[in-house]
Amino acid sequence: MVNQTKRNMKLQLLFLLVLVWGCGTKKTSMHRATQLKFGVEQTRFLVGDVNNDQEKDTAFITLKRNLETGEVVFGPDNYAIDIEFSNGIPKISIYQSLGVFVVKTDDLNGDQANEIILFSQTNQGYWNDVTVWSFMGGNWNQIGQTKAFASENKDFENRIINENGRYYLIGEDPWELDALGGFKKTKVKIVN
């Protein structure tokens, strides 16, 4: 009977040690999870004269990234990437984006100021939402939109063509392949 009692006490002590050790490990894991490392990434894009004031304008993007995963980190009440501009030009906010690249393009609507193209990275690999923006009357207006498979620097070049005085934004169809097995090109008319 004494041996049985000693054995029960040893089992209870072993159980208690395992329980205490398990709680201590869990606390350490939770502590490590709260110590994520972040970095701030700032990018500047020269966008020409978008507001027709005869001065060159600049777009600025500041992102906070998780250094371990590379993912964009948003604030508790903000899930947008803000593109801010010099010379008092209002910002453009892009939602559900993992990164933004800005390209200057020519004047597409005859207002004597150039437009910009935004490449917004989606969570679908190398696919980007491509939008064309014009600054008119003190406001940004989206005048074209398509999708593009952008994996190399040349894929972020100007994607606008002029056919008989009409402008089109060139993209790719993620659901249809051409005869060579590449993504079929799309052509979307830009609204002037």
Side-chain angles (χ1 to χ4, degrees):
M1 187 92 173
V2 173
N3 284 341
Q4 182 70 24
T5 304
K6 283 184 179 180
R7 187 179 305 144
N8 285 344
M9 287 178 58
K10 285 180 183 179
L11 283 173
Q12 288 174 350
L13 180 61
L14 180 64
F15 178 71
L16 182 63
L17 288 174
V18 169
L19 182 65
V20 169
W21 180 77
C23 290
T25 303
K26 185 180 273 185
K27 199 178 274 184
T28 303
S29 296
M30 288 174 55
H31 185 266
R32 283 186 189 151
T34 60
Q35 292 182 342
L36 297 176
K37 295 179 182 176
F38 299 103
V40 175
E41 173 184 312
Q42 296 177 326
T43 311
R44 179 177 67 145
F45 300 94
L46 302 177
V47 294
D49 181 12
V50 296
N51 60 352
N52 198 15
D53 66 355
Q54 310 307 313
E55 291 184 32
K56 302 288 184 193
D57 300 308
T58 306
F60 303 93
I61 300 173
T62 302
L63 300 175
K64 187 175 180 182
R65 288 199 186 267
N66 179 322
L67 294 177
E68 293 178 6
T69 64
E71 295 175 345
V72 175
V73 178
F74 295 101
D77 297 329
N78 182 16
Y79 297 99
I81 293 177
D82 292 329
I83 304 159
E84 298 184 1
F85 296 87
S86 60
N87 299 323
I89 299 169
K91 69 181 178 181
I92 298 174
S93 296
I94 304 295
Y95 293 87
Q96 298 180 351
S97 178
L98 303 177
V100 176
F101 190 82
V102 184
V103 176
K104 169 190 158 187
T105 191
D106 296 328
D107 179 13
L108 305 176
N109 55 8
D111 66 354
Q112 306 304 311
N114 63 279
E115 276 63 57
I116 61 172
I117 304 173
L118 301 182
F119 293 83
S120 173
Q121 183 183 3
T122 69
N123 61 1
Q124 302 164 340
Y126 290 104
W127 284 99
N128 284 250
D129 291 326
V130 182
T131 53
V132 179
W133 294 80
S134 180
F135 188 71
M136 297 173 8
N139 295 308
W140 284 106
N141 300 294
Q142 183 178 311
I143 59 174
Q145 179 177 0
T146 190
K147 287 242 183 236
F149 188 81
S151 63
E152 300 177 11
N153 285 344
K154 67 180 179 89
D155 295 330
F156 291 103
E157 292 175 355
N158 190 344
R159 290 176 163 260
I160 296 175
I161 61 170
N162 182 344
E163 289 183 354
N164 301 320
R166 293 185 183 188
Y167 293 99
Y168 296 90
L169 178 60
I170 303 301
E172 287 91 21
D173 184 341
W175 308 110
E176 194 171 345
L177 299 178
D178 61 20
L180 300 174
F183 295 108
K184 187 175 180 180
K185 297 287 183 199
T186 60
K187 185 168 73 170
V188 178
K189 184 178 180 209
I190 292 177
V191 179
N192 294 348

